[in-house]
């Protein structure tokens, strides 16, 4: 495997190579443990690795020439299979976190729902096993390993990183800034952004229920921006790192809202239609958690609806460090995939 070290003369092809390499090995590092199915964290880490890899091949599309098995769509399909299992793990974690705070009758409701989720998880895990032992996944791994040994690039790959990074980052950032999710519960009057001054639980529920799909999509776009920015974090300073953390915060607060909505939808499917009447404390807690998350989003929304907040994110991406002192390669271990195992390059 070709050794790549960082320097002030880094070319785009070096960043592309390292990004794809890093997330590929993060993905397959957890493969065996996922199949053992002893700790849901392994599945979570493998899914994150595959999502990051998908972000890398998408972000570096103008730079690399990839085989079909390494493109966005097939990686997305594999990540989707992992995602179905991971979603059920998260659902069970949420139900288990609520259960100790409920009275006995409501606990029985969640116990019933947990049993249903366990049955569904068993089916989802069979699909994950089928995927990881199947020909398409094996072909994907071989395709990436072959590309890492003999990478192919587009013409742009020979440009310097510092002069071209904004061109890679800004399209994804602009999609985030233009996303309709920022405008949920907002209107324009006289050219001014108007929002409700006193955000009540009832108002929050109304705003979320009307646009839950667009809010979920905003969360996904924030995640894409975060993954994309992470690929180049070593080329930037502290302001840039702060925005990465803020993208994570956007994910978290919107994710909390989404989790409560998914749980309610699941309970609607597996419990009697009157479960809300039988579980008033659970119903109230779900709404309250959603409300608290919505208030946190309300503050973030205010920032990204302002000209200053939007320009701040753009500016962070426009100004990479001229001499990236952090890029000394000391924190990276070269690995290769050999005979079903990850092995360091010596």
């Amino acid at each position: 495997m070709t050794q790549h070290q960082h320097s002030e003369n880094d070319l785009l092809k070096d960043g592309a190579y390292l990004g794809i390499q890093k997330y590929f090995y993060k993905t397959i590092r957890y493969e065996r443990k996922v199949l053992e199915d002893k700790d849901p964290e392994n599945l979570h880490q493998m899914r994150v690795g595959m999502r990051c890899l998908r972000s890398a091949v998408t972000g570096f599309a103008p730079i690399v020439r990839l085989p079909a098995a390494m493109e966005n769509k097939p990686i997305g399909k594999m990540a989707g299979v992992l995602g179905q299992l991971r979603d059920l793990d998260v659902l069970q974690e949420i139900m288990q976190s609520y259960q100790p705070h409920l009275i006995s009758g409501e606990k029985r409701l969640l116990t019933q729902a947990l049993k249903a989720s366990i049955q569904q998880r068993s089916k989802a895990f069979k699909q994950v096993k089928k995927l990881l032992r199947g020909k398409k996944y094996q072909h994907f791994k071989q395709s990436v390993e072959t590309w890492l040994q003999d990478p192919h690039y587009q013409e742009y790959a020979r440009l310097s990183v510092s002069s071209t990074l904004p061109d890679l980052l800004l399209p994804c950032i602009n999609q985030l800034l233009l996303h309709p999710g920022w405008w949920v519960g907002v209107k324009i009057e006289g050219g001014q952004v108007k929002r409700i001054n006193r955000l009540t639980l009832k108002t929050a529920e109304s705003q979320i229920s009307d646009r839950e799909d667009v809010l979920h999509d905003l969360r996904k776009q924030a995640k894409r921006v975060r993954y994309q920015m992470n690929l180049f974090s070593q080329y930037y300073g502290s302001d840039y790192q702060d925005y990465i953390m803020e993208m994570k915060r956007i994910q978290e607060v919107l994710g909390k809202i989404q989790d409560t909505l998914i749980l309610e939808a699941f309970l609607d499917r597996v419990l009697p239609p009157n479960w809300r009447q039988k579980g008033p404390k659970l119903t109230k807690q779900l709404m309250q958690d959603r409300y608290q998350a919505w208030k946190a989003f309300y503050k973030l929304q205010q920032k990204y609806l302002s000209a200053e907040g939007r320009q701040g994110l753009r500016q962070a991406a426009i100004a990479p460090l001229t001499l990236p002192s952090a890029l000394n390669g000391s924190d990276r271990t070269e690995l290769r995939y050999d005979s079903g195992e990850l092995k360091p390059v010596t």
Side-chain angles (χ1 to χ4, degrees), residues 3-8 10 18 234-235 323-334:
Q3 295 281 342
H4 292 266
Q5 297 296 328
H6 294 301
S7 78
E8 64 269 23
D10 273 358
L18 289 172
Q234 64 268 48
Y235 291 94
L323 297 175
S325 57
L327 305 186
N328 54 25
S330 61
D331 61 345
R332 182 172 57 82
T333 301
E334 292 286 347

Side-chain angles (χ1 to χ4, degrees), residues 154-182:
Q154 310 266 21
E155 289 76 8
Y156 276 107
R158 292 172 178 80
L159 295 175
S160 69
V161 169
S162 59
S163 67
T164 321
L165 276 188
D167 301 327
L168 291 175
L169 288 168
L170 286 174
C172 190
I173 288 172
N174 290 339
Q175 288 180 38
L176 174 72
L177 295 176
L178 292 171
H179 198 283
W182 295 115

Side-chain angles (χ1 to χ4, degrees), residues 161-162 164-166 169 229 232-241 315-321 324 326:
V161 169
S162 59
T164 321
L165 276 188
L169 288 168
M229 291 179 74
F232 307 108
S233 60
Q234 64 268 48
Y235 291 94
Y236 289 87
S238 59
D239 287 349
Y240 185 90
Q241 310 300 329
Q315 191 61 42
I318 288 172
L321 301 176

Side-chain angles (χ1 to χ4, degrees), residues 275-339:
W275 71 265
R276 286 178 174 81
Q277 288 73 40
K278 289 185 174 182
K281 190 171 183 179
L282 173 60
T283 302
K284 183 178 179 180
Q285 190 60 56
L286 285 166
M287 293 175 64
Q288 190 63 38
D289 287 350
R290 192 156 51 236
Y291 177 47
Q292 294 303 320
W294 186 246
K295 288 196 293 185
F297 174 71
Y298 188 83
K299 295 179 181 179
L300 292 163
Q301 183 188 40
Q302 183 175 19
K303 176 176 180 177
Y304 286 97
L305 286 175
S306 71
E308 295 82 3
R310 296 158 66 83
Q311 183 59 20
L313 178 55
R314 294 191 205 99
Q315 191 61 42
I318 288 172
L321 301 176
T322 304
L323 297 175
S325 57
L327 305 186
N328 54 25
S330 61
D331 61 345
R332 182 172 57 82
T333 301
E334 292 286 347
L335 301 168
R336 71 179 298 119
Y337 193 70
D338 183 24
S339 301

Side-chain angles (χ1 to χ4, degrees), residues 181-197:
W182 295 115
W183 295 92
V184 175
V186 178
K187 57 184 178 180
I188 301 292
E189 290 182 359
Q192 299 295 317
V193 175
K194 297 292 184 180
R195 302 194 305 160
I196 296 173
N197 291 327

Side-chain angles (χ1 to χ4, degrees), residues 180-242:
W182 295 115
W183 295 92
V184 175
V186 178
K187 57 184 178 180
I188 301 292
E189 290 182 359
Q192 299 295 317
V193 175
K194 297 292 184 180
R195 302 194 305 160
I196 296 173
N197 291 327
R198 186 169 176 269
L199 187 63
T200 65
L201 187 149
K202 183 178 179 180
T203 302
E205 284 290 297
S206 175
Q207 292 176 355
I208 293 169
S209 63
D210 287 345
R211 304 297 299 279
E212 62 178 85
D213 289 343
V214 75
L215 290 169
H216 180 50
D217 193 69
L218 176 60
R219 180 190 179 219
K220 291 193 291 185
Q221 185 60 33
K223 187 181 297 184
R224 294 186 195 106
V225 171
R226 177 188 165 205
Y227 289 164
Q228 191 86 335
M229 291 179 74
N230 263 328
L231 289 172
F232 307 108
S233 60
Q234 64 268 48
Y235 291 94
Y236 289 87
S238 59
D239 287 349
Y240 185 90
Q241 310 300 329
D242 290 343

Side-chain angles (χ1 to χ4, degrees), residues 78-286:
M78 290 186 292
V81 175
L82 298 180
Q84 291 177 9
L85 182 59
R86 176 58 186 167
D87 289 347
L88 286 165
D89 284 343
V90 171
L91 196 64
Q92 289 180 11
E93 290 171 6
I94 297 170
M95 287 190 283
Q96 289 165 353
S97 71
Y98 280 121
Q99 203 164 31
H101 309 290
L102 303 176
I103 60 177
S104 58
E106 292 185 274
K107 286 182 179 180
R108 286 195 293 271
L109 281 174
L110 275 192
T111 298
Q112 183 180 341
L114 275 166
K115 289 180 180 179
S117 71
I118 290 170
Q119 292 176 346
Q120 292 187 20
R121 190 190 184 283
S122 177
K123 295 178 182 178
F125 181 64
K126 289 179 181 178
Q127 292 303 310
V128 169
K129 285 198 295 184
K130 182 179 179 181
L131 168 70
L132 298 184
R133 292 171 176 169
K135 292 182 179 179
K136 288 185 178 180
Y137 179 72
Q138 299 304 321
H139 177 58
F140 154 74
K141 289 196 297 183
Q142 185 58 56
S143 295
V144 181
E145 185 66 24
T146 299
W147 187 89
L148 290 172
Q149 292 173 352
D150 184 22
H152 292 75
Y153 301 101
Q154 310 266 21
E155 289 76 8
Y156 276 107
R158 292 172 178 80
L159 295 175
S160 69
V161 169
S162 59
S163 67
T164 321
L165 276 188
D167 301 327
L168 291 175
L169 288 168
L170 286 174
C172 190
I173 288 172
N174 290 339
Q175 288 180 38
L176 174 72
L177 295 176
L178 292 171
H179 198 283
W182 295 115
W183 295 92
V184 175
V186 178
K187 57 184 178 180
I188 301 292
E189 290 182 359
Q192 299 295 317
V193 175
K194 297 292 184 180
R195 302 194 305 160
I196 296 173
N197 291 327
R198 186 169 176 269
L199 187 63
T200 65
L201 187 149
K202 183 178 179 180
T203 302
E205 284 290 297
S206 175
Q207 292 176 355
I208 293 169
S209 63
D210 287 345
R211 304 297 299 279
E212 62 178 85
D213 289 343
V214 75
L215 290 169
H216 180 50
D217 193 69
L218 176 60
R219 180 190 179 219
K220 291 193 291 185
Q221 185 60 33
K223 187 181 297 184
R224 294 186 195 106
V225 171
R226 177 188 165 205
Y227 289 164
Q228 191 86 335
M229 291 179 74
N230 263 328
L231 289 172
F232 307 108
S233 60
Q234 64 268 48
Y235 291 94
Y236 289 87
S238 59
D239 287 349
Y240 185 90
Q241 310 300 329
D242 290 343
Y243 276 107
I244 292 177
M245 294 306 297
E246 195 154 80
M247 293 301 108
K248 184 178 181 181
R249 179 61 176 157
I250 294 168
Q251 278 183 247
E252 288 173 345
V253 297
L254 292 177
K256 184 66 174 180
I257 293 169
Q258 184 68 15
D259 287 346
T260 61
L261 293 170
I262 289 174
L263 177 53
E264 285 186 343
F266 179 77
L267 296 178
D268 283 337
R269 292 196 303 272
V270 302
L271 293 180
N274 63 343
W275 71 265
R276 286 178 174 81
Q277 288 73 40
K278 289 185 174 182
K281 190 171 183 179
L282 173 60
T283 302
K284 183 178 179 180
Q285 190 60 56
L286 285 166

